[in-house]
Amino acid sequence: MPHSRWFKTAGAAAALTLATATAAYATPAPAPDLTAAAVTLRYDDSRAAGWEAAIAAGVANWNASVSNVQLVEAAPGTRAEIQIIATSGWPQATLGPVRPGGTARVELGSQAVTEGHDKTRIAAHELGHSLGLPDTKPGPCSQLMSGSTGGTTCKNATPNATERARVQSLYAGGFTFLVPADGRVLVDAP
């Protein structure tokens, strides 16, 4: 085979190989599915006598406000990530975000109710801690996480846009394992 023909053949083969390799690498890999199903967290309120309605309303407010995580009541005898307990002190909770299989504790303290604070706001606020939101004190009533600084006349038990966005971000795509839980206990006394 003459050299010129060999170079043409070799050049064509190299071009074909390069085109094939480039096409293989130029095709983008499929993106990860960030539309994964919502993270489900179970809560146990069996030791929160007298708070059931407030807890149900607080849970409903969170479930209506965010789509990346949903709170469901644990069936009796099953494990729950969030333990909700009625106490005589000030409300307090573990700062999350709690992960599936993890543990968080919410204490709904009657001292805040005695001083005039709304039970549903307290329940929703403490659940917000379990979902990863710190206090925003002092703050206005429009901020659920302002807690007691919203005042005793404040009945707002719904997260605002910033609070909703933060929880959505913490549970985006179900990848809660990428966000370390804080684990601190936040006491909501004024």
Side-chain angles (χ1 to χ4, degrees):
M1 177 186 293
H3 288 296
S4 63
R5 189 169 205 198
W6 183 87
F7 283 124
K8 281 185 182 179
T9 304
L16 181 59
T17 302
L18 182 60
T20 303
T22 302
Y25 287 106
T27 305
D33 180 13
L34 296 179
T35 61
V39 172
T40 300
L41 298 175
R42 296 171 309 267
Y43 67 91
D44 175 3
D45 64 356
S46 63
R47 297 186 302 171
W51 287 85
E52 296 86 356
I55 294 166
V59 165
N61 288 351
W62 274 110
N63 286 345
S65 298
V66 295
S67 59
N68 288 344
V69 61
Q70 293 290 288
L71 303 170
V72 298
E73 189 170 4
T78 62
R79 187 182 185 293
E81 286 86 6
I82 303 171
Q83 297 293 320
I84 305 174
I85 300 156
T87 68
S88 59
W90 270 93
Q92 59 184 330
T94 307
L95 180 58
V98 66
R99 303 174 189 105
T103 303
R105 181 178 169 106
V106 168
E107 295 184 12
L108 301 175
S110 63
Q111 186 174 352
V113 176
T114 301
E115 293 194 17
H117 294 280
D118 182 70
K119 276 183 144 182
T120 301
R121 179 173 168 83
I122 293 167
H125 173 91
E126 298 307 324
L127 288 167
H129 287 319
S130 295
L131 295 175
L133 298 178
D135 287 315
T136 55
K137 294 179 178 181
C141 179
S142 60
Q143 292 176 343
L144 175 62
M145 300 314 293
S146 70
S148 61
T149 63
T152 56
T153 60
C154 181
K155 308 288 185 224
N156 175 37
T158 304
N160 67 19
T162 302
E163 294 162 334
R164 292 189 304 265
R166 178 67 179 142
V167 170
Q168 285 288 97
S169 172
L170 290 170
Y171 290 92
F175 294 125
T176 57
F177 60 87
L178 296 177
V179 182
D182 187 296
R184 286 182 293 154
V185 174
L186 302 178
V187 179
D188 288 305

